Amino acid sequence: MSPAVSTLSPAIAAILDDPAYPGLKALIIETTGMAFYRDKDGDLARILAERMAEIGVIGCAGYLGLLQSLVQGKAEMDALIAELTIGETYFFRHKEQFDALRDLILPDVIARNASFRRLRIWSAGCATGPEPYSVAIMLEREFAERIAGWHVTVLGTDINQKFLTRAREGRYDEWAFRVMPDAQRAACFDKVGNQWQIRPEFKRNVSFQYHNLIKSPFPSLADNIAGFDIIICRNVIIYFSQSTVESLVPCFRESLNDGGWLIMGHAEPNQRLFRDFRTVNTPGAVLYQRADGPPPAAEPSPSAIPRPVPPVLAASAGAGRVAPPKASPVRRSRATPSRLVPPSQPQAQGLAGFDRLKVARDLADSGQWEKAAAACNAIIGASPLDAWAHFYRAMVHEQMGEDEACEKSLRRAIYLDRRLVLPHYHLGLFLARKDDTAGAERSFRNAQALLTGIAEELPVNPGEKITVGQMREAVAMHLKLLGGA
Ligand SMILES: C[S@@+](CC[C@H](N)C(=O)[O-])C[C@H]1O[C@@H](n2cnc3c(N)ncnc32)[C@H](O)[C@@H]1O
């Protein structure tokens, strides 16, 4: 035992001496990306010792077995993640970046999107919510006139379920307002006891969902992670390894519309990583803009090499606002549909139909909603009974703020093929948003039943990036939120 270890409490020292500890540590880092713990054995062992004592597990091998078990593994990993993650955050953190958002980025995006009146913003690793709420406050207080009647989405995602619950509540202690002027706080929050509750007008466009940047591939339309105008991911990747960060940057890029902006934490200035972006410097902030154009001269990245435009695009060419679809980043290309056995597959769908659906889905994944709508309409025109085409049409309706049409298309997809998981799942999300709790619960239960008995690692449908395991986790979380778990 090293001298440092001998000064630690016996429980922590026992964990550090346990031969199963390295495997346990590797699983935790692999699941969360938090390579930060690679050289923080004392901290990690303390958290593990506390967690293991709480649930009465002795020894790292037993705890590793629990984390890997099919029945309780996910729930225990969530409980552990709640202790491992660091949720330091506050409103309008790093003022210079919010200045750039107000003075440069939002005016640019609003001008760019004026013809279709939509705005999609993602706060990745949002912790308890001050970051997405700060954006919503800025939009409401400084841009309300310019975006009146627009379909605005501010999505906050995180790996920590406890943080997400608190984010949804929107109630904060004084400390969260450490750089926010009192007058601004009074205008946006109501005092409730010792805390401050965000007012409904700053909450209505903000939603929160679970998303693990390491394990949930993106962009993914089915996961609602695609087609953003602005992505904010600050003070998150600092905990990840260099190779993890390198694999994430192209995914962020692919999840942005052309011309969209990426804001990273000011402590993450490794600009080499962002060479596929246009770098813009403003006072105190470095910003990255996706600008599709000729690849940089020396080293073109895989994601910058254009694919041929598929024939189905011809009808709508020029109608949209963005460049042709690009090749997928390395992480995405792993799940080749033909290698995997789908849980269920539409009967009538031949290879040509599959390819055409893939085109529609890729267009939607890259935020080209008008082209994706045209591609879906073309498939539906030729094969009106294609359940998947109706499903992807529903997803595009949703992104375009066409609620009624979205619900209709989802129900049509289910009517045409009840075995497809994603339409049930998304109908659940839709109904939950409309406060139809019973309907939402029914839809999630249908999705849950369809996922029973299928191997975790399979894609939830052919070519989709979400796996059965991830979908199960998402469904369980939503049922829990509805109070029906
Ligand atoms: C320090 S907070 C940053 C909060 C906010 N972005 C800010 O800058 O104020 C880091 C957040 O990243 C989240 N996080 C860590 N690993 C993650 C992962 N693999 N996927 C998604 N979120 C993750 C943590 O749960 C935590 O809430």
Side-chain angles (χ1 to χ4, degrees):
M1 198 189 301
S2 71
V5 170
S6 66
T7 61
L8 299 171
S9 85
I12 296 174
I15 285 181
L16 293 176
D17 280 344
D18 190 321
Y21 170 70
L24 178 56
K25 176 175 162 178
L27 176 76
I28 292 166
I29 293 178
E30 204 240 335
T31 307
T32 61
M34 296 192 68
F36 162 79
Y37 282 109
R38 257 193 321 225
D39 58 0
K40 300 219 166 15
D41 287 305
D43 291 336
L44 181 57
R46 180 184 45 76
I47 293 167
L48 286 169
E50 283 166 11
R51 188 71 209 138
M52 284 157 66
E54 197 172 326
I55 56 171
V57 173
I58 296 166
C60 291
Y63 192 61
L64 182 59
L66 176 64
L67 288 177
Q68 289 172 326
S69 87
L70 278 183
V71 188
Q72 290 163 290
K74 289 270 188 302
E76 182 50 36
M77 185 58 93
D78 279 347
L80 180 63
I81 284 171
E83 304 306 321
L84 289 169
T85 41
I86 294 144
E88 164 73 358
T89 185
Y90 47 92
F91 285 88
F92 293 97
R93 181 180 196 174
H94 198 64
K95 178 181 177 302
E96 292 83 351
Q97 291 185 327
F98 279 94
D99 288 347
L101 194 62
R102 185 193 54 226
D103 299 337
L104 169 71
I105 296 181
L106 283 169
D108 172 73
V109 170
I110 289 171
R112 194 189 300 276
N113 291 9
S115 62
F116 43 91
R117 298 153 64 84
R118 276 194 312 278
L119 197 52
R120 273 176 66 74
I121 300 171
W122 176 23
S123 160
C126 66
T128 49
E131 187 174 86
Y133 284 136
S134 298
V135 175
I137 288 171
M138 180 176 276
L139 283 171
E140 193 64 31
R141 284 170 61 87
E142 312 213 27
F143 293 88
E145 267 180 31
R146 277 185 264 177
I147 57 171
W150 283 40
H151 184 59
V152 176
T153 306
V154 182
L155 175 68
T157 65
D158 204 277
I159 194 179
N160 184 322
Q161 309 264 18
K162 282 193 182 164
F163 289 167
L164 289 170
T165 303
R166 286 172 51 200
R168 284 188 195 99
E169 281 166 10
R171 194 175 288 193
Y172 298 94
D173 296 328
E174 294 277 340
W175 191 231
F177 304 97
R178 65 195 87 158
V179 302
M180 190 170 173
D182 287 354
Q184 193 182 7
R185 179 178 62 187
C188 307
F189 292 80
D190 293 316
K191 188 105 198 253
V192 180
N194 287 336
Q195 293 187 304
W196 294 86
Q197 170 70 51
I198 191 152
R199 294 212 178 123
E201 62 266 37
F202 303 107
K203 220 171 175 231
R204 66 194 158 98
N205 294 324
V206 184
S207 57
F208 294 95
Q209 79 179 45
Y210 173 85
H211 182 259
N212 181 347
L213 288 163
I214 306 300
K215 290 282 181 184
S216 322
F218 64 97
S220 163
L221 183 66
D223 221 2
N224 194 26
I225 307 281
F228 293 102
D229 300 300
I230 302 168
I231 298 177
I232 308 174
C233 183
R234 304 184 308 159
N235 311 301
V236 179
I237 63 166
I238 37 170
Y239 301 107
F240 298 167
S241 71
Q242 177 73 8
S243 62
T244 300
V245 173
E246 274 170 18
S247 72
L248 286 177
V249 171
C251 300
F252 283 128
R253 186 177 178 282
E254 293 284 314
S255 305
L256 282 169
N257 296 326
D258 185 25
W261 295 84
L262 176 64
I263 307 178
M264 305 300 291
H266 73 293
E268 298 141 355
N270 184 351
Q271 293 186 15
R272 192 188 57 78
L273 282 172
F274 303 95
R275 59 185 177 274
D276 286 342
F277 291 80
R278 186 168 82 91
T279 303
V280 177
N281 288 285
T282 59
V286 183
L287 314 157
Y288 303 102
Q289 184 177 30
R290 174 173 177 172
D292 293 337
E299 344 166 44
S301 78
S303 64
I305 301 168
R307 275 196 305 233
V309 180
V312 73
L313 286 180
S316 59
R321 61 206 154 106
V322 293
K326 291 145 299 297
S328 307
V330 181
R331 254 160 51 105
R332 297 173 61 195
S333 60
R334 275 197 223 131
T336 312
S338 56
R339 269 197 301 130
L340 302 161
V341 184
S344 61
Q345 201 166 6
Q347 300 278 311
Q349 199 180 282
L351 185 62
F354 187 84
D355 281 349
R356 289 195 305 167
L357 268 182
K358 183 171 175 342
V359 169
R361 195 182 52 222
D362 285 352
L363 285 167
D365 272 356
S366 59
Q368 303 182 69
W369 311 121
E370 286 83 2
K371 289 181 181 178
C376 290
N377 290 345
I379 303 172
I380 292 169
S383 323
L385 304 185
D386 190 319
W388 282 118
H390 286 281
F391 168 67
Y392 286 113
R393 189 68 187 89
M395 296 294 85
V396 175
H397 279 309
E398 180 178 341
Q399 301 304 336
M400 296 173 94
E402 298 159 352
D403 276 7
E404 211 175 301
C406 169
E407 180 174 6
K408 214 163 142 191
S409 293
L410 282 174
R411 292 194 186 278
R412 183 125 194 100
I414 293 171
Y415 172 77
L416 290 170
D417 191 340
R418 296 197 62 78
R419 299 164 307 157
L420 308 185
V421 178
L422 284 173
H424 287 288
Y425 174 69
H426 278 272
L427 184 60
L429 293 180
F430 179 90
L431 295 174
R433 275 200 305 276
K434 301 279 165 211
D435 292 328
D436 178 354
T437 309
E441 190 176 335
R442 212 167 28 247
S443 297
F444 288 133
R445 294 248 177 254
N446 286 337
Q448 199 173 43
L450 287 164
L451 290 165
T452 308
I454 300 167
E456 294 258 303
E457 65 285 0
L458 290 179
V460 79
N461 76 269
E464 195 51 72
K465 283 156 279 177
I466 297 192
T467 64
V468 167
Q470 289 161 348
M471 182 92 296
R472 249 189 221 130
E473 201 175 324
V475 169
M477 188 201 78
H478 285 291
L479 280 169
K480 206 160 143 192
L481 286 172
L482 291 171

